[in-house]
Amino acid sequence: MQEMLCMDKYDVIELLSPVQDMSELPSKSMELISYNYADKFFGEDADKYVKGHLAEFLAEIGEYCKWHEFETYIYSNPDATTQERIDKYNELYELYEPGVEQLYPELLAKGGRLYKGMNIFKVPRYVISYSICDLAAIYIANEFKKDKKKGSDIFIKLGEVGNSMDYNDSMEYLGLKSAFDEEVMIEAAEYLKNELGLE
């Protein structure tokens, strides 16, 4: 839908796809906005779907924090040995995912979990883009929940941005605060807390 909206607006193919920091925002926003229609797809299990998907969303943000912290370690310690990197990752894994029982702990000790996440080696720091897209998507979904017309207008404008603006200019154009803003993080936390019924 995002590319279709851009195709109606731009003749230059390079403007159709959003900048990296916005690339996941249209789809992530649509996922959250679609909760309003979950019953049409899942019937009486709609609430299970919504809560399960939101729980994944929350876990995803924690996962991105873990990878970001690990990448920071790598770039701050370029001379770290392979085993030191594995040990650091496993330390962070325990910190961010406490109590998870491993079926094959010997694989963890050899870097089995670390080397599964190849994206950090292929696209450095991309987890930052994912994180700010998650936070901005929650912001848009919350606006949609409060006022469907306003939320829909924001989503359509988002689709039309494409690669015509950078992240900060796009947020300003949409009338939203940057996901780096502490208020947005607090609002996202409150949204997840309320939707998931967390204390």
Side-chain angles (χ1 to χ4, degrees):
M1 181 174 177
Q2 178 271 314
E3 286 211 356
M4 180 198 73
L5 289 166
C6 280
M7 287 169 72
D8 290 343
K9 190 169 180 182
Y10 306 114
D11 294 326
V12 181
I13 196 167
E14 287 79 11
L15 295 177
L16 301 185
S17 296
V19 295
Q20 180 172 308
D21 286 341
M22 301 281 289
S23 62
E24 300 295 329
L25 187 50
S27 62
K28 286 180 176 290
S29 298
M30 180 60 84
E31 286 175 29
L32 297 176
I33 288 171
S34 72
Y35 291 170
N36 292 270
Y37 312 100
D39 61 314
K40 308 247 185 273
F41 297 95
F42 302 103
E44 61 186 34
D45 291 328
D47 193 53
K48 289 180 191 173
Y49 165 74
V50 169
K51 290 228 176 354
H53 189 266
L54 271 176
E56 284 179 21
F57 224 78
L58 182 58
E60 199 173 75
I61 292 171
E63 182 82 1
Y64 298 150
C65 291
K66 176 185 71 182
W67 282 112
H68 178 69
E69 197 169 337
F70 178 70
E71 282 185 283
T72 301
Y73 169 79
I74 287 176
Y75 299 133
S76 302
N77 299 279
D79 297 326
T81 65
T82 301
Q83 192 57 53
E84 286 171 335
R85 290 178 180 184
I86 291 170
D87 292 344
K88 182 62 178 181
Y89 176 80
N90 288 342
E91 174 191 320
L92 292 170
Y93 181 78
E94 289 296 322
L95 177 68
Y96 282 92
E97 301 183 50
V100 175
E101 185 179 338
Q102 297 298 317
L103 292 176
Y104 303 101
E106 67 277 8
L107 291 178
L108 201 65
K110 293 178 182 176
R113 292 281 305 183
L114 166 59
Y115 294 113
K116 184 180 171 197
M118 291 304 293
N119 275 352
I120 67 156
F121 302 105
K122 290 193 239 177
V123 189
R125 295 298 196 196
Y126 191 56
V127 293
I128 295 172
S129 297
Y130 265 102
S131 300
I132 62 176
C133 285
D134 275 356
L135 293 170
I138 290 169
Y139 195 104
I140 291 170
N142 206 18
E143 290 300 310
F144 186 85
K145 187 173 182 179
K146 290 186 272 187
D147 181 343
K148 283 188 181 179
K149 174 76 171 75
K150 182 181 177 189
S152 297
D153 289 345
I154 291 170
F155 184 78
I156 296 299
K157 281 176 77 174
L158 168 65
E160 294 172 342
V161 169
N163 198 10
S164 66
M165 301 177 206
D166 66 17
Y167 176 80
N168 289 326
D169 289 342
S170 297
M171 289 294 107
E172 189 175 327
Y173 171 73
L174 296 171
L176 304 176
K177 293 177 183 153
S178 165
F180 292 107
D181 189 305
E182 188 175 348
E183 283 181 47
V184 174
M185 293 184 196
I186 291 168
E187 187 173 323
E190 285 299 314
Y191 174 87
L192 290 169
K193 185 178 171 183
N194 291 336
E195 294 296 311
L196 287 167
L198 303 172
E199 294 300 318

